[in-house]
């Protein structure tokens, strides 16, 4: 791995090799570019990754979940090239975690098993047109219980990755009025994508174009009582409990973007000549490249430390570390892609070359799954002991 200042265990080295081998066998820079240009999802690549066991990892239906260290390893590798597939894998890992933690035996058999094997793919429906950061208070999607126990869901979700082709959506809807806590009264539902009343419309996005983002409209969508995931009213709380993993996984894709962009920039700096020298010999380019390297490697240490600590058991230290890792990786990605564009001059603009894709894709992890501003708020309060930000 170019630039890495951190050693992997033999198991993680083996896992990295499996991801790289699968990427090498199925995809190519041209193919990644085509999916980005055409805004199409690479189903064949996803299926190959699933067949290699990279969705399920160490997880089984009955007890064991995938380790955080394994998840971030796969996601870093995908982020470095097949970024959109990496983003969709973040969603699958989230589904695995939610079903593992809150699923009943029947739900695990029906939904988790196929997810782990890759025969099913899921979308996660939380954000809404009027609310992302403050989605719990703003949530306008309602689920109301009919006399026979069936839930009828009406509302709209925004930016839902892969929603038109997913097998099912894990979706949050309000089931009782906003309470004082602001986060209770929301429930989580497992909804087969082909349930009548669901309409999806793709959104034309600047980045992550190899994974469709969709508007999802729900009109009288009937969901049986047994498809409530976790306790009624606790859905948003349950999602918050998985946020450490989400932050780590987002950080891993961002780290991959930083590494991929830096590697491209250094190759270019060595190969391109000006004034009879490789442009990489100019100090004006070397210093910002080293700054990007420093950010990338700092993010790597925070991320893998956070993942290892998470695997050993959660706690406030892990919460802070996962926040620091996410911030650090998002900044590494934006810094590396910015200097990458500068190093490549006009060639950075060429749509057949990957730098402009990294540059666009890097923006996602400045605001997802949680905005960098909110992470700063949380770190200020929890880590620095400052008053709650207003
Ligand atoms: C490519 C892509 C994929 C996505 N995938 C999914 C998905 O699969 N499922 C899903 O549910 N959602 C998804 N999202 C939505 C994403 O999670 C939201 O965009 C994100 O949570 C931010 O919400 P918002 O865009 O509504 O921004 P807003 O919440 O409107 O925030 C706007 C600005 O206000 C700032 N702000 C808000 N509150 C505070 C505060 N208290 N202090 C300081 N600053 C504050 C924010 O930091 C930000 O800078 C996706 C989005 C994109 C673009």
């Amino acid at each position: 791995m170019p630039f890495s200042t951190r050693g992997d265990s033999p198991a993680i080295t083996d896992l990295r090799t499996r991801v790289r081998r699968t990427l090498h066998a199925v995809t190519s820079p041209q193919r990644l570019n085509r999916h980005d240009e055409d805004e199409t999802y690479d189903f064949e690549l996803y299926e190959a990754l699933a067949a290699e066991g990279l969705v399920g990892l160490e997880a089984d239906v009955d007890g064991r979940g995938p380790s955080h260290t394994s998840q971030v390893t796969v996601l870093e590798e995908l982020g470095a090239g097949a970024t959109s597939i990496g983003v969709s894998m973040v969603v699958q890992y989230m589904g695995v975690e939610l079903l593992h933690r809150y699923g009943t035996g029947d739900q695990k058999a029906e939904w988790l098993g196929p997810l782990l094997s890759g025969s099913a793919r899921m979308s996660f429906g939380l954000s809404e047109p009027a609310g992302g950061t403050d989605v719990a208070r703003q949530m306008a999607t309602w689920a109301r219980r009919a006399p026979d126990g069936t839930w009828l869901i009406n509302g709209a979700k925004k930016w839902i990755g892969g929603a038109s082709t997913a097998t099912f959506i894990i979706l949050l809807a309000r089931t009782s009025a906003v309470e004082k806590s602001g986060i209770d009264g929301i429930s989580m539902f497992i909804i087969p994508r082909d349930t009548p009343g669901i309409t999806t419309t793709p959104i034309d996005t600047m980045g992550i174009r190899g994974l469709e983002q969709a508007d999802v409209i729900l009109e009288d969508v009937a969901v049986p009582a047994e498809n409530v995931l976790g306790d009624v009213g606790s859905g948003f709380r349950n999602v918050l409990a998985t946020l450490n993993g989400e932050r780590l996984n987002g950080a891993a894709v961002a780290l991959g973007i930083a590494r991929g962009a830096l590697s491209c920039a250094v190759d270019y700096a060595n190969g391109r000549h000006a004034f009879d020298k490789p442009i990489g010999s100019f100090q004006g380019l070397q210093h910002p490249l080293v700054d990007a390297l420093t950010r990338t490697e700092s993010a790597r240490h925070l991320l893998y430390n956070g993942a290892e600590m998470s695997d050993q058991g959660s706690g406030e230290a892990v919460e802070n570390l996962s926040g620091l890792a996410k911030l650090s990786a998002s900044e590494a990605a934006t810094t590396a892609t910015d200097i990458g564009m500068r190093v490549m001059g006009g060639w950075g603009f060429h749509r057949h070359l990957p730098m402009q894709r990294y540059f666009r894709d890097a923006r996602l992890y400045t605001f997802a799954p949680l905005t960098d501003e909110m992470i700063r708020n949380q770190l200020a309060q929890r880590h620095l002991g400052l008053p709650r930000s207003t």
Side-chain angles (χ1 to χ4, degrees):
M1 181 186 358
F3 319 128
S4 178
T5 54
R6 197 175 185 284
D8 282 340
S9 69
I12 292 299
T13 303
D14 177 58
L15 182 58
R16 252 186 230 291
T17 307
R18 283 166 55 205
V19 186
R20 287 180 187 188
R21 206 172 45 214
T22 309
L23 287 170
H24 186 72
V26 179
T27 196
S28 64
Q30 294 75 16
R31 182 170 166 139
L32 293 172
N33 187 52
R34 204 173 56 243
H35 281 289
D36 177 71
E37 283 289 320
D38 298 349
E39 293 190 84
T40 48
Y41 188 74
D42 194 340
F43 288 99
E44 197 186 331
L45 176 56
Y46 185 78
E47 280 158 21
L49 292 163
E52 183 59 41
L54 299 170
V55 184
L57 295 168
E58 309 91 349
D60 55 37
V61 172
D62 301 323
R64 209 154 57 122
S67 78
H68 289 282
T69 311
S70 299
Q71 291 178 58
V72 299
T73 302
V74 174
L75 294 171
E76 181 197 339
E77 292 305 315
L78 296 178
T83 310
S84 291
I85 297 285
V87 174
S88 87
M89 195 70 92
V90 169
V91 176
Q92 309 313 305
Y93 288 157
M94 183 174 199
V96 168
E97 170 130 20
L98 289 170
L99 285 161
H100 242 289
R101 282 192 188 214
Y102 307 111
T104 61
D106 286 348
Q107 287 172 341
K108 286 179 182 166
E110 186 169 1
W111 307 105
L112 179 57
L115 196 59
L116 294 176
S117 70
S119 61
R121 277 187 312 109
M122 64 149 272
S123 286
F124 178 66
L126 174 62
S127 304
E128 297 203 351
T133 305
D134 190 25
V135 64
R137 259 172 287 256
Q138 301 285 339
M139 193 167 289
T141 299
W142 269 87
R144 292 191 167 85
R145 208 181 325 224
D148 67 354
T150 303
W151 292 89
L152 277 183
I153 307 184
N154 284 281
K157 295 286 169 182
K158 187 101 198 163
W159 312 115
I160 308 309
S164 68
T165 57
T167 321
F168 64 97
I169 306 177
I170 293 184
L171 184 133
L172 285 104
R174 185 157 282 293
T175 42
S176 57
V178 184
E179 295 170 14
K180 201 168 168 224
S181 71
I183 58 173
D184 291 312
I186 291 172
S187 306
M188 201 160 25
F189 297 89
I190 307 169
I191 312 179
R193 168 62 190 88
D194 57 6
T195 308
I198 300 179
T199 316
T200 59
T201 314
I203 304 170
D204 192 5
T205 55
M206 170 188 102
I208 316 295
R209 289 166 59 86
L211 171 66
E212 164 223 51
Q213 319 302 324
D215 277 311
V216 179
I217 305 294
L218 302 109
E219 290 167 301
D220 285 336
V221 174
V223 180
E226 61 266 26
N227 282 28
V228 174
L229 181 58
D231 291 336
V232 171
S234 301
F236 193 70
R237 246 179 220 285
N238 290 346
V239 169
L240 289 182
T242 65
L243 212 58
N244 274 341
E246 276 294 281
R247 282 185 286 230
L248 291 170
N249 286 350
V253 178
L255 173 64
I257 295 173
R259 190 187 98 200
L262 192 51
S263 170
C264 262
V266 170
D267 284 350
Y268 189 86
N270 276 321
R272 176 85 173 176
H273 285 70
F275 304 100
D276 298 327
K277 289 180 197 145
I279 58 168
S281 67
F282 301 132
Q283 195 180 54
L285 294 184
Q286 283 183 357
H287 286 191
L289 283 169
V290 171
D291 291 346
L293 170 67
T294 308
R295 287 187 178 220
T296 304
E297 288 309 291
S298 305
R300 176 185 305 289
H301 284 263
L302 286 167
L303 172 64
Y304 282 88
N305 252 356
E308 282 163 11
M309 277 179 69
S310 266
D311 288 335
Q312 287 154 18
S314 234
E316 193 153 331
V318 177
E319 246 178 83
N320 291 338
L321 203 45
S322 67
L324 289 167
K326 156 66 168 64
L327 266 188
S328 176
S330 99
E331 291 191 349
T334 50
T335 306
T337 54
D338 184 65
I339 180 57
M341 289 294 282
R342 286 172 196 270
V343 164
M344 291 185 69
W347 291 91
F349 264 54
H350 205 305
R351 288 187 77 112
H352 292 174
L353 299 177
M355 190 58 78
Q356 44 81 34
R357 191 182 71 238
Y358 287 126
F359 183 73
R360 289 182 281 112
D361 285 350
R363 301 308 305 181
L364 175 68
Y365 286 110
T366 64
F367 60 81
L370 196 62
T371 70
D372 284 357
E373 292 76 18
M374 285 307 283
I375 291 185
R376 285 191 169 88
N377 287 351
Q378 291 175 351
L379 286 166
Q381 192 183 349
R382 294 202 191 122
H383 202 57
L384 299 179
L386 292 168
R388 191 187 170 91
S389 174
T390 54

